[in-house]
Amino acid sequence: MAGIPRLQGRRLLAGGVSLARARSAFLLRHLVRFVISLAVLLVASFAMIHLIPGDPVRASLGQAAPIELIEARRAALGLDQPILTQLGTYVRNVLSGDFGTSFLSGEPVGDVISARLPNTLALALLATVVALLIAVPLGMWAGVRTENGRNRGTEATFTSATGTAIAVPEFLYAIVLVAVFAIGLGWFPPAGKGAPATYVLPILSLAIAPAAMIARISRVETLRELGSDYVRLARAKRLPAARIYIRHVLPNTLTATLTIGGLLLTGLIAGSVLVEYVFAWPGLGLRIVESITQKDYPVAQGVILVYGAIVLVVNLLVDVLLGVLDPTSAVKET
């Protein structure tokens, strides 16, 4: 019975269009959108250094820098070339893995990114897993408790608590958690990356708001599944409640939940910037803050480009996963 809702995709097929053909067209459309979005991202990241008021080279070297040094740096960066030539060179370099050189340290930006990116991804992935592990059972429990309008108090408490949790920004969670559990109680280190204990507070800071959002979605999906025909049939057969919820309801609620979870992963990667800064976490978020304050524009440009590319790739993977798990999403776009 867990597969009954997925049969809807096959019922929607008409005019001899096969499910495989619908999925192929679905995948092609999303690949085209991905390529176009990536091209826009490349142009936008290139334009970043040209939209900065004034001369970015002079700003990074300081107003007292000799004009000869400024001109030499501009020539080394190719900023003395025509704009279209610069764009072509930038795209070729990025596609070959060359993101430029740091104004301050002279270190290749690619080395900075490769050293810091794993720390940011680890934080975001672990926070996503924690959010899902908390949110899915909580949302299902709330859905079962409030089915058919029962337990109004539970519904009001759940809605208020999750709404408040969603509204609070990640960096504020980080500050409060540090004040209470690091400085006040001394249970966890206040900053840095090292022992497993250093992961706890940054992960919680990132996971609380997404967990609340996923729990809300999980509750809505659970209520929808509990009202479906196959659940009523299972109850009519007097199947154990645990079997109905875990074997039949849970699989059919996970499609929307995992889709939102994938989208939240991209938000966590971007939202980790201020959290990394609060916890002095050696990731890309901390590095981009440093590069902006120090006017190290090539590093900021490269990090922003990587952030954008990660968001696009994750969104593409989520769309493909949705097309595989839920055939109706591919058919409806046909």
Side-chain angles (χ1 to χ4, degrees), residues 2-257:
I4 289 176
R6 293 180 174 84
L7 295 176
Q8 295 172 355
R10 294 175 175 84
R11 293 173 184 168
L12 291 175
L13 295 174
V17 179
S18 67
L19 181 59
R21 182 176 176 183
R23 279 177 168 165
S24 298
F26 175 86
L27 179 60
L28 179 60
R29 281 192 298 273
H30 285 276
L31 284 174
V32 171
R33 292 174 191 171
F34 171 77
V35 172
I36 293 173
S37 300
L38 191 59
V40 172
L41 175 64
L42 277 170
V43 174
S45 62
F46 166 78
M48 168 188 163
I49 201 168
H50 296 275
L51 295 176
I52 297 170
D55 187 345
V57 176
R58 180 178 289 278
S60 66
L61 295 177
Q63 297 299 320
I67 188 64
E68 296 81 7
L69 178 59
I70 293 174
E71 292 299 328
R73 179 62 62 87
R74 287 180 59 84
L77 295 173
L79 296 177
D80 57 344
Q81 300 293 320
I83 192 70
L84 290 180
T85 302
Q86 292 183 45
L87 176 59
T89 302
Y90 175 72
V91 172
R92 286 195 301 272
N93 289 342
V94 168
L95 294 179
S96 65
D98 181 4
F99 294 91
T101 304
S102 168
F103 278 172
L104 299 179
S105 66
E107 184 181 6
V109 176
D111 292 348
V112 175
I113 293 172
S114 62
R116 300 261 186 156
L117 181 59
N119 295 331
T120 294
L121 291 180
L123 205 59
L125 287 171
L126 289 172
T128 302
V129 172
V130 170
L132 289 171
L133 291 176
I134 294 173
V136 174
L138 178 61
M140 286 194 65
W141 172 83
V144 172
R145 288 275 298 172
T146 59
E147 184 183 6
N148 297 324
R150 295 183 292 112
N151 297 306
R152 294 290 186 182
T154 300
E155 180 179 1
T157 302
F158 176 84
T159 303
S160 301
T162 54
T164 302
I166 293 170
V168 177
E170 290 90 348
F171 76 89
L172 188 55
Y173 281 124
I175 293 173
V176 172
L177 289 174
V178 167
V180 174
F181 294 103
I183 298 175
L185 298 175
W187 290 356
F188 301 100
K193 174 182 177 291
T198 61
Y199 284 78
V200 174
L201 296 185
I203 288 173
L204 287 178
S205 302
L206 289 173
I208 293 174
M213 185 178 298
I214 296 172
R216 281 191 158 202
I217 295 168
S218 180
R219 174 179 173 268
V220 171
E221 291 296 309
T222 299
L223 289 173
R224 181 175 63 82
E225 294 300 325
L226 290 176
S228 62
D229 292 337
Y230 76 94
V231 170
R232 284 195 288 267
L233 177 60
R235 284 172 169 171
K237 292 182 177 182
R238 298 186 180 277
L239 294 180
R243 181 178 178 185
I244 295 174
Y245 300 147
I246 297 174
R247 184 173 177 181
H248 302 301
V249 175
L250 177 60
N252 288 318
T253 63
L254 285 181
T255 299
T257 303

